[in-house]
Coordinates of all heavy atoms in Angstrom, one line a residue:
M1 N 31.8 -20.2 -38.6 CA 30.5 -20.0 -38.8 C 30.4 -18.6 -39.4 O 31.0 -17.7 -39.1 CB 29.7 -20.1 -37.5 CG 28.3 -20.5 -37.7 SD 27.5 -20.5 -36.0 CE 28.0 -22.0 -35.4
L2 N 29.5 -18.4 -40.5 CA 29.3 -17.2 -41.1 C 27.8 -16.8 -40.8 O 26.8 -17.6 -40.7 CB 29.5 -17.3 -42.6 CG 31.0 -17.4 -43.0 CD1 31.2 -17.7 -44.5 CD2 31.8 -16.4 -42.6
L3 N 27.6 -15.4 -40.7 CA 26.3 -15.0 -40.6 C 25.9 -14.2 -41.8 O 26.8 -13.4 -42.4 CB 26.2 -14.0 -39.3 CG 26.5 -14.8 -38.0 CD1 26.7 -13.8 -37.0 CD2 25.5 -15.7 -37.6
K4 N 24.6 -14.3 -42.1 CA 24.2 -13.4 -43.3 C 22.9 -12.6 -42.8 O 21.9 -13.2 -42.4 CB 23.7 -14.4 -44.4 CG 23.3 -13.7 -45.6 CD 23.0 -14.7 -46.7 CE 22.5 -14.0 -48.0 NZ 22.2 -15.1 -49.0
F5 N 23.1 -11.4 -42.8 CA 22.0 -10.5 -42.4 C 22.0 -9.1 -43.2 O 23.1 -8.8 -43.8 CB 21.8 -10.3 -41.1 CG 22.8 -9.7 -40.3 CD1 23.0 -8.4 -40.1 CD2 23.7 -10.4 -39.7 CE1 24.0 -7.8 -39.5 CE2 24.8 -9.9 -39.0 CZ 24.9 -8.5 -38.8
G6 N 20.9 -8.4 -43.1 CA 21.0 -7.2 -43.9 C 21.0 -7.4 -45.3 O 20.4 -8.2 -45.9
K7 N 21.8 -6.7 -45.9 CA 21.9 -6.7 -47.4 C 23.1 -7.7 -47.8 O 24.1 -7.3 -48.3 CB 22.1 -5.3 -48.0 CG 21.0 -4.4 -47.7 CD 21.1 -3.1 -48.3 CE 20.0 -2.1 -47.9 NZ 20.0 -0.9 -48.2
N8 N 22.8 -9.0 -47.5 CA 23.8 -10.0 -47.8 C 25.1 -9.8 -47.1 O 26.1 -10.2 -47.7 CB 24.0 -10.3 -49.2 CG 22.7 -10.7 -50.0 OD1 21.9 -11.3 -49.4 ND2 22.5 -10.2 -51.0
R9 N 25.1 -9.2 -46.0 CA 26.4 -8.9 -45.3 C 26.7 -10.2 -44.5 O 25.8 -10.9 -43.8 CB 26.2 -7.8 -44.2 CG 27.4 -7.4 -43.4 CD 27.2 -6.2 -42.6 NE 28.4 -5.9 -41.9 CZ 28.3 -5.6 -40.6 NH1 27.1 -5.4 -40.1 NH2 29.3 -5.6 -39.8
M10 N 28.0 -10.7 -44.5 CA 28.5 -11.9 -44.0 C 29.4 -11.4 -42.7 O 30.2 -10.7 -42.8 CB 29.2 -12.7 -44.9 CG 28.4 -13.1 -46.1 SD 27.0 -14.2 -45.7 CE 27.9 -15.7 -45.6
N11 N 29.2 -12.2 -41.6 CA 30.0 -11.9 -40.4 C 30.5 -13.4 -40.0 O 29.7 -14.3 -40.2 CB 29.3 -11.4 -39.3 CG 29.1 -9.8 -39.6 OD1 29.9 -9.2 -40.2 ND2 27.9 -9.4 -39.4
T12 N 31.6 -13.4 -39.0 CA 31.9 -14.6 -38.6 C 31.1 -14.7 -37.3 O 30.5 -13.9 -36.7 CB 33.5 -14.6 -38.2 OG1 33.6 -13.5 -37.2 CG2 34.3 -14.3 -39.5
Y13 N 31.1 -16.0 -36.8 CA 30.3 -16.3 -35.6 C 30.9 -15.6 -34.5 O 30.3 -15.0 -33.7 CB 30.6 -17.9 -35.3 CG 30.0 -18.4 -34.0 CD1 28.7 -18.6 -33.8 CD2 31.0 -18.7 -33.1 CE1 28.3 -18.8 -32.5 CE2 30.5 -19.1 -31.8 CZ 29.2 -19.1 -31.5 OH 28.6 -19.6 -30.3
T14 N 32.3 -15.5 -34.4 CA 32.9 -14.7 -33.2 C 32.5 -13.3 -33.3 O 32.1 -12.8 -32.2 CB 34.6 -14.7 -33.4 OG1 34.9 -16.1 -33.5 CG2 35.1 -14.1 -32.3
E15 N 32.3 -12.7 -34.5 CA 31.8 -11.3 -34.5 C 30.4 -11.2 -34.0 O 30.1 -10.3 -33.3 CB 31.9 -10.7 -36.0 CG 33.3 -10.5 -36.4 CD 33.4 -10.1 -37.8 OE1 32.5 -10.6 -38.7 OE2 34.4 -9.4 -38.3
A16 N 29.6 -12.2 -34.4 CA 28.1 -12.2 -34.0 C 28.1 -12.3 -32.5 O 27.2 -11.6 -31.8 CB 27.5 -13.4 -34.6
R17 N 28.9 -13.2 -31.9 CA 28.8 -13.3 -30.5 C 29.2 -12.0 -29.7 O 28.6 -11.7 -28.8 CB 29.9 -14.4 -30.1 CG 29.3 -15.8 -29.9 CD 30.3 -16.6 -29.1 NE 31.7 -16.0 -29.1 CZ 32.8 -16.7 -28.9 NH1 32.6 -18.0 -28.6 NH2 33.9 -16.2 -29.0
Q18 N 30.1 -11.4 -30.3 CA 30.4 -10.1 -29.8 C 29.5 -9.0 -29.9 O 29.4 -8.1 -29.1 CB 31.8 -9.6 -30.3 CG 33.0 -10.6 -29.9 CD 34.3 -10.2 -30.6 OE1 34.3 -9.5 -31.4 NE2 35.4 -10.8 -30.2
K19 N 28.7 -9.1 -31.0 CA 27.7 -8.1 -31.2 C 26.3 -8.7 -31.3 O 25.5 -8.5 -32.2 CB 28.0 -7.5 -32.7 CG 29.4 -6.8 -32.7 CD 29.8 -6.5 -34.0 CE 31.1 -5.7 -34.1 NZ 31.5 -5.4 -35.5
L20 N 26.0 -9.3 -30.3 CA 24.6 -10.1 -30.3 C 23.5 -9.0 -30.4 O 22.6 -9.3 -31.2 CB 24.6 -10.8 -29.0 CG 23.0 -11.6 -28.8 CD1 22.9 -12.5 -29.9 CD2 23.1 -12.3 -27.4
A21 N 23.6 -7.9 -29.6 CA 22.5 -6.9 -29.7 C 22.3 -6.3 -31.2 O 21.2 -6.3 -31.6 CB 22.9 -5.7 -28.8
S22 N 23.4 -6.1 -31.8 CA 23.3 -5.6 -33.2 C 22.7 -6.8 -34.2 O 21.9 -6.5 -35.0 CB 24.8 -5.3 -33.7 OG 24.7 -5.1 -35.1
L23 N 23.1 -8.1 -33.8 CA 22.5 -9.0 -34.6 C 20.9 -9.2 -34.4 O 20.2 -9.3 -35.3 CB 23.1 -10.5 -34.1 CG 22.7 -11.7 -34.9 CD1 23.4 -12.1 -36.1 CD2 22.6 -12.9 -33.9
L24 N 20.5 -9.0 -33.2 CA 19.0 -9.0 -32.9 C 18.3 -7.8 -33.5 O 17.1 -8.0 -34.1 CB 18.9 -9.2 -31.4 CG 19.3 -10.3 -30.7 CD1 19.1 -10.3 -29.2 CD2 18.7 -11.7 -31.3
E25 N 19.0 -6.6 -33.5 CA 18.4 -5.4 -34.2 C 18.3 -5.7 -35.7 O 17.3 -5.2 -36.2 CB 19.3 -4.2 -33.9 CG 19.3 -3.8 -32.5 CD 20.3 -2.6 -32.2 OE1 20.7 -2.1 -33.3 OE2 20.5 -2.4 -31.1
Q26 N 19.2 -6.3 -36.2 CA 19.2 -6.6 -37.7 C 17.9 -7.6 -38.0 O 17.3 -7.5 -38.9 CB 20.5 -7.2 -38.2 CG 21.7 -6.2 -38.1 CD 21.4 -5.1 -39.2 OE1 21.0 -5.3 -40.3 NE2 21.8 -4.0 -38.8
A27 N 17.8 -8.7 -37.1 CA 16.7 -9.5 -37.3 C 15.4 -8.8 -37.2 O 14.5 -9.1 -37.9 CB 16.8 -10.7 -36.2
A28 N 15.3 -7.8 -36.2 CA 14.0 -7.1 -36.2 C 13.8 -6.3 -37.3 O 12.6 -6.2 -37.9 CB 14.1 -6.2 -35.0
K29 N 14.9 -5.7 -37.9 CA 14.8 -4.8 -39.0 C 14.5 -5.4 -40.4 O 13.7 -5.0 -41.1 CB 16.1 -4.0 -39.2 CG 16.2 -3.0 -40.3 CD 17.3 -2.1 -40.4 CE 17.4 -1.2 -41.5 NZ 18.6 -0.4 -41.5
Y30 N 15.2 -6.6 -40.6 CA 15.1 -7.4 -41.9 C 14.1 -8.7 -41.8 O 13.9 -9.2 -42.8 CB 16.4 -7.8 -42.3 CG 17.3 -6.4 -42.8 CD1 18.3 -6.3 -41.8 CD2 17.1 -5.9 -43.8 CE1 19.0 -5.1 -42.2 CE2 17.8 -4.7 -44.3 CZ 18.8 -4.4 -43.4 OH 19.6 -3.2 -43.7
G31 N 13.7 -8.9 -40.5 CA 12.7 -10.0 -40.4 C 13.3 -11.4 -40.0 O 12.8 -12.2 -39.5
E32 N 14.6 -11.5 -40.3 CA 15.4 -12.8 -40.1 C 17.0 -12.5 -40.2 O 17.4 -11.6 -41.0 CB 15.0 -13.9 -40.8 CG 15.3 -13.8 -42.3 CD 14.7 -15.1 -43.0 OE1 13.7 -15.6 -42.7 OE2 15.4 -15.5 -44.0
V33 N 17.7 -13.3 -39.5 CA 19.1 -13.3 -39.8 C 19.6 -14.8 -40.0 O 19.2 -15.7 -39.2 CB 19.9 -12.9 -38.5 CG1 21.4 -13.0 -38.8 CG2 19.5 -11.3 -38.2
C34 N 20.3 -15.1 -41.0 CA 20.7 -16.4 -41.4 C 22.2 -16.6 -40.9 O 23.1 -15.7 -41.0 CB 20.8 -16.6 -42.8 SG 19.1 -16.6 -43.6
I35 N 22.4 -17.8 -40.1 CA 23.6 -18.0 -39.6 C 24.2 -19.4 -40.4 O 23.4 -20.4 -40.2 CB 23.7 -18.3 -38.1 CG1 23.2 -17.1 -37.5 CG2 25.0 -18.7 -37.5 CD1 22.8 -17.2 -35.9
K36 N 25.2 -19.4 -41.0 CA 25.7 -20.6 -41.7 C 26.9 -21.0 -41.1 O 27.9 -20.2 -40.9 CB 26.0 -20.2 -43.2 CG 26.2 -21.5 -44.0 CD 26.4 -21.0 -45.5 CE 26.6 -22.3 -46.3 NZ 26.6 -21.9 -47.7
R37 N 27.0 -22.3 -40.6 CA 28.1 -22.8 -40.1 C 29.0 -23.4 -41.1 O 28.7 -23.6 -42.3 CB 27.7 -24.1 -39.1 CG 27.0 -23.7 -37.8 CD 27.0 -24.7 -36.9 NE 26.8 -26.2 -37.3 CZ 26.5 -27.1 -36.4 NH1 26.2 -26.9 -35.3 NH2 26.5 -28.4 -36.9
R38 N 30.3 -23.8 -40.7 CA 31.3 -24.3 -41.7 C 30.8 -25.5 -42.4 O 31.1 -25.8 -43.5 CB 32.6 -24.6 -40.9 CG 33.3 -23.2 -40.5 CD 34.7 -23.4 -39.9 NE 35.2 -22.3 -39.4 CZ 35.8 -22.2 -38.2 NH1 35.9 -23.4 -37.5 NH2 36.2 -21.1 -37.9
D39 N 30.0 -26.3 -41.6 CA 29.6 -27.6 -42.3 C 28.4 -27.4 -43.2 O 27.9 -28.4 -43.7 CB 29.3 -28.6 -41.2 CG 28.0 -28.1 -40.3 OD1 27.4 -27.1 -40.6 OD2 27.8 -28.9 -39.2
G40 N 28.0 -26.1 -43.4 CA 26.9 -25.8 -44.3 C 25.5 -25.8 -43.7 O 24.6 -25.3 -44.4
Q41 N 25.4 -26.1 -42.5 CA 24.1 -26.1 -41.9 C 23.7 -24.6 -41.5 O 24.5 -23.9 -41.2 CB 24.1 -26.8 -40.5 CG 22.7 -27.1 -40.0 CD 22.7 -28.0 -38.7 OE1 23.9 -28.3 -38.2 NE2 21.6 -28.4 -38.2
V42 N 22.6 -24.3 -41.9 CA 22.0 -22.9 -41.7 C 20.8 -22.7 -40.6 O 20.1 -23.7 -40.5 CB 21.4 -22.4 -43.2 CG1 20.7 -21.0 -43.0 CG2 22.3 -22.5 -44.2
F43 N 21.1 -21.7 -39.9 CA 20.1 -21.5 -38.9 C 19.5 -20.0 -39.0 O 20.2 -19.3 -39.7 CB 20.8 -21.4 -37.5 CG 21.4 -22.8 -37.0 CD1 22.7 -23.1 -37.4 CD2 20.7 -23.7 -36.2 CE1 23.1 -24.3 -37.1 CE2 21.2 -24.9 -36.0 CZ 22.5 -25.2 -36.4
V44 N 18.3 -19.9 -38.7 CA 17.6 -18.7 -38.9 C 17.1 -18.0 -37.6 O 16.5 -18.8 -36.7 CB 16.4 -18.8 -39.9 CG1 15.6 -17.3 -40.0 CG2 16.8 -19.4 -41.1
V45 N 17.5 -16.8 -37.3 CA 17.0 -16.1 -36.2 C 16.0 -15.2 -36.5 O 16.3 -14.4 -37.4 CB 18.2 -15.4 -35.3 CG1 17.7 -14.6 -34.1 CG2 19.3 -16.4 -35.0
K46 N 14.6 -15.3 -36.0 CA 13.5 -14.4 -36.3 C 13.0 -13.9 -35.1 O 13.0 -14.5 -34.0 CB 12.6 -15.2 -37.0 CG 13.0 -15.8 -38.3 CD 11.5 -16.5 -38.9 CE 11.8 -17.1 -40.1 NZ 10.5 -17.6 -40.7
P47 N 12.6 -12.6 -35.1 CA 11.9 -12.0 -34.0 C 10.5 -12.7 -33.8 O 9.9 -13.0 -34.8 CB 11.7 -10.5 -34.1 CG 11.9 -10.4 -35.7 CD 12.6 -11.6 -36.2
Q48 N 10.1 -12.9 -32.6 CA 8.8 -13.6 -32.4 C 7.7 -12.5 -32.6 O 7.8 -11.4 -32.1 CB 8.7 -14.1 -30.9 CG 7.5 -14.9 -30.6 CD 7.5 -15.5 -29.3 OE1 8.3 -15.0 -28.3 NE2 6.8 -16.5 -29.0
K49 N 6.7 -12.9 -33.1 CA 5.6 -12.1 -33.5 C 4.8 -11.8 -32.1 O 4.6 -12.7 -31.3 CB 4.7 -12.7 -34.5 CG 5.1 -12.7 -35.8 CD 4.2 -13.3 -36.8 CE 4.8 -13.4 -38.1 NZ 3.9 -13.9 -39.2
R50 N 4.4 -10.5 -32.0 CA 3.8 -10.1 -30.8 C 2.3 -10.5 -30.9 O 1.7 -10.4 -32.0 CB 3.8 -8.6 -30.6 CG 5.2 -8.2 -30.3 CD 5.3 -6.7 -29.9 NE 6.6 -6.2 -29.6 CZ 7.0 -5.0 -29.3 NH1 6.0 -4.1 -29.5 NH2 8.2 -4.7 -29.2
K51 N 1.7 -10.8 -29.8 CA 0.3 -11.1 -29.8 C -0.5 -9.9 -29.5 O -0.3 -9.3 -28.4 CB -0.1 -12.3 -28.9 CG 0.6 -13.5 -29.3 CD 0.4 -14.7 -28.3 CE 1.1 -16.0 -28.8 NZ 0.9 -17.0 -27.9
G52 N -1.5 -9.5 -30.3 CA -2.3 -8.3 -30.0 C -1.4 -7.0 -29.9 O -0.1 -7.0 -30.2
S53 N -2.0 -5.9 -29.6 CA -1.5 -4.6 -29.5 C -0.8 -4.3 -28.3 O -1.3 -4.7 -27.2 CB -2.6 -3.5 -29.7 OG -2.1 -2.2 -29.5
P54 N 0.4 -3.7 -28.3 CA 1.0 -3.3 -27.0 C 0.3 -2.3 -26.2 O 0.5 -2.1 -25.0 CB 2.4 -2.9 -27.5 CG 2.2 -2.4 -28.8 CD 1.1 -3.2 -29.4
L55 N -0.7 -1.7 -26.8 CA -1.5 -0.7 -26.2 C -2.8 -1.3 -25.6 O -3.5 -0.6 -24.9 CB -1.9 0.3 -27.1 CG -0.8 1.2 -27.9 CD1 -1.3 2.2 -28.9 CD2 0.1 1.9 -26.8
A56 N -3.1 -2.6 -25.8 CA -4.3 -3.2 -25.2 C -3.9 -3.7 -23.7 O -3.2 -4.6 -23.6 CB -4.6 -4.3 -26.0
V57 N -4.4 -2.9 -22.8 CA -4.2 -3.2 -21.4 C -5.5 -3.4 -20.7 O -6.5 -2.8 -21.1 CB -3.3 -2.1 -20.7 CG1 -2.0 -2.0 -21.4 CG2 -4.1 -0.8 -20.8
T58 N -5.6 -4.2 -19.7 CA -6.7 -4.4 -19.1 C -6.9 -3.2 -18.1 O -6.0 -2.5 -17.5 CB -6.7 -5.7 -18.2 OG1 -5.5 -5.6 -17.4 CG2 -6.6 -6.9 -19.1
G59 N -8.2 -2.8 -17.8 CA -8.6 -1.8 -17.0 C -8.6 -2.2 -15.5 O -8.6 -3.3 -15.3
I60 N -8.6 -1.3 -14.6 CA -8.8 -1.5 -13.2 C -10.0 -0.8 -12.8 O -10.3 0.3 -13.1 CB -7.5 -1.1 -12.5 CG1 -7.2 0.4 -12.8 CG2 -6.3 -2.1 -12.9 CD1 -6.1 0.8 -11.8
R61 N -10.5 -1.4 -11.7 CA -11.7 -0.7 -11.0 C -11.1 0.2 -9.9 O -10.6 -0.4 -8.9 CB -12.7 -1.7 -10.4 CG -13.4 -2.5 -11.4 CD -14.7 -1.6 -11.7 NE -15.6 -2.1 -12.7 CZ -16.3 -1.5 -13.5 NH1 -16.3 -0.1 -13.4 NH2 -16.9 -2.1 -14.4
L62 N -11.5 1.5 -9.8 CA -11.1 2.4 -8.8 C -12.3 2.8 -7.9 O -12.1 3.5 -7.0 CB -10.3 3.6 -9.4 CG -9.0 3.2 -10.1 CD1 -8.5 4.5 -10.7 CD2 -8.1 2.6 -9.1
N63 N -13.4 2.4 -8.4 CA -14.7 2.9 -7.8 C -14.7 4.4 -7.5 O -15.1 5.0 -6.5 CB -14.9 2.2 -6.5 CG -15.2 0.7 -6.8 OD1 -15.8 0.3 -7.7 ND2 -14.6 -0.2 -6.0
L64 N -14.3 5.2 -8.5 CA -14.2 6.6 -8.5 C -15.5 7.2 -9.2 O -15.8 6.8 -10.3 CB -13.1 7.3 -9.0 CG -11.7 7.0 -8.3 CD1 -10.6 7.5 -9.2 CD2 -11.7 7.6 -7.0
S65 N -16.1 8.3 -8.7 CA -17.3 8.9 -9.5 C -16.7 9.8 -10.5 O -15.5 10.1 -10.5 CB -18.1 9.7 -8.5 OG -17.3 10.7 -8.0
R66 N -17.6 10.2 -11.4 CA -17.2 11.2 -12.4 C -16.7 12.4 -11.9 O -15.6 12.9 -12.4 CB -18.4 11.4 -13.4 CG -18.1 12.3 -14.5 CD -19.3 12.5 -15.3 NE -19.2 13.4 -16.5 CZ -19.2 14.7 -16.5 NH1 -19.5 15.3 -15.2 NH2 -19.0 15.4 -17.6
S67 N -17.2 12.9 -10.9 CA -16.9 14.2 -10.2 C -15.4 14.0 -9.7 O -14.5 15.0 -9.8 CB -17.7 14.7 -9.3 OG -18.0 13.9 -8.2
E68 N -15.1 12.9 -9.0 CA -13.8 12.7 -8.4 C -12.7 12.5 -9.5 O -11.6 13.2 -9.3 CB -13.8 11.4 -7.6 CG -14.7 11.4 -6.4 CD -14.7 10.1 -5.7 OE1 -14.9 9.1 -6.5 OE2 -14.6 10.0 -4.4
I69 N -13.0 12.0 -10.6 CA -12.0 11.9 -11.8 C -11.8 13.3 -12.4 O -10.7 13.6 -12.5 CB -12.7 11.0 -12.9 CG1 -12.7 9.5 -12.3 CG2 -11.7 11.1 -14.0 CD1 -13.4 8.6 -13.2
L70 N -12.8 14.1 -12.5 CA -12.6 15.4 -12.9 C -11.9 16.2 -12.2 O -11.0 17.1 -12.5 CB -14.0 16.1 -13.4 CG -14.8 15.4 -14.6 CD1 -16.1 16.1 -14.7 CD2 -14.0 15.4 -15.9
Q71 N -12.1 16.1 -10.9 CA -11.4 16.9 -9.8 C -9.9 16.5 -9.8 O -9.1 17.4 -9.7 CB -12.0 16.6 -8.4 CG -11.2 17.4 -7.2 CD -11.8 17.1 -5.9 OE1 -12.8 16.3 -5.8 NE2 -11.3 17.7 -4.9
S72 N -9.6 15.3 -9.9 CA -8.2 14.8 -10.0 C -7.4 15.5 -11.2 O -6.4 15.8 -11.2 CB -8.2 13.3 -10.1 OG -6.9 13.0 -10.2
I73 N -8.2 15.3 -12.3 CA -7.6 16.1 -13.7 C -7.4 17.5 -13.4 O -6.3 18.0 -13.8 CB -8.6 15.8 -14.8 CG1 -8.7 14.3 -15.2 CG2 -8.2 16.5 -16.0 CD1 -9.7 13.9 -16.2
E74 N -8.3 18.2 -12.8 CA -8.1 19.6 -12.7 C -7.0 20.0 -11.7 O -6.1 20.8 -11.9 CB -9.4 20.3 -12.0 CG -10.6 20.4 -13.0 CD -11.9 20.7 -12.4 OE1 -12.0 21.3 -11.2 OE2 -12.9 20.7 -13.1
E75 N -6.9 19.1 -10.6 CA -5.8 19.3 -9.6 C -4.4 19.0 -10.4 O -3.5 19.8 -10.1 CB -5.9 18.3 -8.5 CG -7.0 18.7 -7.5 CD -7.0 17.7 -6.5 OE1 -6.3 16.8 -6.3 OE2 -8.2 17.8 -5.7
G76 N -4.4 18.2 -11.3 CA -3.2 17.8 -12.0 C -2.8 18.9 -12.9 O -1.7 19.3 -13.2
R77 N -3.7 19.6 -13.5 CA -3.5 20.6 -14.4 C -3.0 21.9 -13.7 O -2.2 22.7 -14.2 CB -4.7 21.1 -15.3 CG -5.0 19.9 -16.3 CD -6.2 20.3 -17.1 NE -6.6 19.3 -18.0 CZ -7.7 19.2 -18.7 NH1 -8.7 20.0 -18.5 NH2 -8.0 18.2 -19.6
R78 N -3.4 22.2 -12.5 CA -2.9 23.3 -11.8 C -1.4 23.1 -11.4 O -0.8 24.2 -11.3 CB -3.8 23.3 -10.5 CG -5.1 24.1 -10.7 CD -5.8 24.3 -9.3 NE -6.9 23.5 -9.4 CZ -7.5 22.9 -8.4 NH1 -6.8 23.0 -7.2 NH2 -8.5 22.2 -8.4
V79 N -1.0 21.9 -11.2 CA 0.4 21.7 -10.8 C 1.4 22.2 -11.9 O 2.3 22.7 -11.7 CB 0.7 20.2 -10.4 CG1 2.1 20.0 -10.3 CG2 -0.2 19.8 -9.3
F80 N 1.0 22.0 -13.2 CA 1.8 22.3 -14.3 C 1.3 23.6 -14.8 O 1.7 24.1 -15.7 CB 1.7 21.2 -15.3 CG 2.3 20.0 -14.8 CD1 1.5 18.8 -14.6 CD2 3.6 19.7 -14.6 CE1 1.9 17.6 -14.2 CE2 4.1 18.5 -14.2 CZ 3.3 17.5 -14.0

């Protein structure tokens, strides 16, 4: 089995098995990695697209007043 990724770089299946992390990094970098078996069948490994922003998090209710929040911030600044 041969692998094709990056700039038309070819690797054997055994090398890919030994370097799976590298293979996945290449797929992330180039968008996909092609794996070609000896019989000519081709497989494509692609990173799955993320849904939404990784920064989009749900809020939590703490029932704190504005003054309690500001007090907590001030205390934290005094420590450092």
Side-chain angles (χ1 to χ4, degrees):
M1 208 181 278
L2 293 175
L3 298 172
K4 182 177 177 181
F5 60 88
K7 297 177 180 170
N8 295 323
R9 183 170 173 221
M10 300 293 278
N11 289 322
T12 65
Y13 172 75
T14 302
E15 290 172 335
R17 260 192 347 200
Q18 294 170 350
K19 301 177 182 178
L20 179 59
S22 174
L23 179 89
L24 296 177
E25 288 173 15
Q26 293 292 324
K29 182 176 181 180
Y30 295 105
E32 65 182 34
V33 176
C34 297
I35 304 170
K36 186 175 183 179
R37 292 194 331 192
R38 288 186 189 135
D39 65 2
Q41 192 172 12
V42 177
F43 298 87
V44 179
V45 177
K46 294 182 182 182
Q48 187 175 20
K49 293 182 181 180
R50 293 182 180 177
K51 296 179 182 177
S53 170
L55 301 177
V57 295
T58 54
I60 56 173
R61 284 269 176 219
L62 296 177
N63 296 322
L64 295 173
S65 68
R66 181 179 183 273
S67 62
E68 289 172 317
I69 294 171
L70 292 175
Q71 180 182 358
S72 177
I73 292 171
E74 289 173 11
E75 288 175 10
R77 288 180 179 165
R78 276 188 251 140
V79 173
F80 296 107

